[in-house]
Amino acid sequence: MGSIKIVTDSALDMTSDELQKLGITMVPLTVLIDGKTYLDTVDISAEAFLDKMAAAGELPKTSQPPVGRFLDVYNDLGADGSQIISIHMTGEMSGTYQAARQAAEMSSSDVTVVDSRYISKALSYQVLEAAQMASSGRSVENIIARLDEIRAETKLYIMVDTLENLVKGGRIGRAKGFIGSLLNIKPIADLDIGALSPVTKVRSHTKALRFFADQLSEELKGKELVHFSIMHAGRNSAAFSEKLKEEVERMTGFGQVEIGITAPIISAHAGPGAVGVMYQAK
């Protein structure tokens, strides 16, 4: 009898080294820009994608992994009798979860597919825990139950500089009320229900910093941070992200705030200048 193996997709904002170290298999989505197709984070880096998006004549397009790709992965990983837990980006924003489910139904392996209800590092919190629990010999049932708990402990906010990518990419979700906002307004939404929901609008990074400081201070009262991550889509959002990191560290005393550039698959829809603010707290 084999072990439990973890599969995910490229929306989790983890490096190939991190994935390899933990024995996690990542199935990449695809991005199409300037007439060329790339496997997300495999054929093109986050930085290179932002440069191409800034110079492109039209918005990039994305697509989920084909069912056959998932099927091959599941059959290969399960050939030794291993069970598989496949954890994916929210099904409200991509067909990736459904493609994985279809493949699981076709596979000869024992596969459990999980909708994380999140993207980016918020997705990685579940993947990391699953990998650690699997390596310590916990059962599939134990792991799935823990993932439910992590999901309830997680919060994700997205602030965008432009709504163009979200609107044209069809990922606006319940945040349709933001459409038609005035110039220079920065909408902030959350992803608590697996889809974007409006939270507020701010007119500057200074006001955004104050919003997050006030909001997080209230939400984190009496709680212990497990993870805190800030992922951005370049441009002037990098400086804002650094300031927010400093504010979070000052406010919470938590010294492990992650910061980085988000994957092409997320930048393509969130647009240049977007910032994702997420945490797990118990």
Side-chain angles (χ1 to χ4, degrees), residues 263-274:
I265 197 70
I266 297 176
S267 294
H269 293 291

Side-chain angles (χ1 to χ4, degrees), residues 159-175:
M159 179 179 71
V160 298
D161 257 7
T162 171
L163 283 168
E164 185 180 14
N165 294 58
L166 281 172
V167 172
K168 291 187 176 178
R171 265 63 176 187
I172 198 73
R174 291 172 173 78

Side-chain angles (χ1 to χ4, degrees), residues 184-231:
N184 297 324
I185 289 288
K186 301 179 187 302
I188 297 175
D190 66 32
L191 203 64
D192 280 358
I193 54 173
L196 292 176
S197 294
V199 173
T200 189
K201 305 172 188 176
V202 294
R203 289 186 176 272
S204 67
H205 277 155
T206 299
K207 291 187 177 180
L209 195 63
R210 180 44 43 203
F211 164 79
F212 281 119
D214 292 344
Q215 187 77 10
L216 295 169
S217 176
E218 186 65 28
E219 289 178 3
L220 295 175
K221 278 182 182 175
K223 294 184 178 181
E224 177 188 353
L225 277 172
V226 180
H227 297 285
F228 199 105
S229 312
I230 304 168
M231 302 300 292

Side-chain angles (χ1 to χ4, degrees), residues 138-151:
R138 304 296 292 276
S139 69
V140 168
E141 292 74 21
N142 287 157
I143 295 172
I144 296 302
R146 178 61 185 136
L147 296 186
D148 289 341
E149 294 173 353
I150 294 173
R151 204 171 298 120

Side-chain angles (χ1 to χ4, degrees), residues 6 85 87 112 114-116 118 122-134 136 138-154 224-227 279-282:
I6 308 302
I85 301 178
I87 309 167
T112 302
V114 176
D115 184 346
S116 74
Y118 284 105
L123 162 58
S124 80
Y125 303 160
Q126 294 178 46
V127 174
L128 282 167
E129 183 77 3
Q132 290 162 359
M133 291 180 71
S136 65
R138 304 296 292 276
S139 69
V140 168
E141 292 74 21
N142 287 157
I143 295 172
I144 296 302
R146 178 61 185 136
L147 296 186
D148 289 341
E149 294 173 353
I150 294 173
R151 204 171 298 120
E153 296 168 352
T154 300
E224 177 188 353
L225 277 172
V226 180
H227 297 285
Y279 66 82
Q280 179 194 348
K282 57 184 180 180

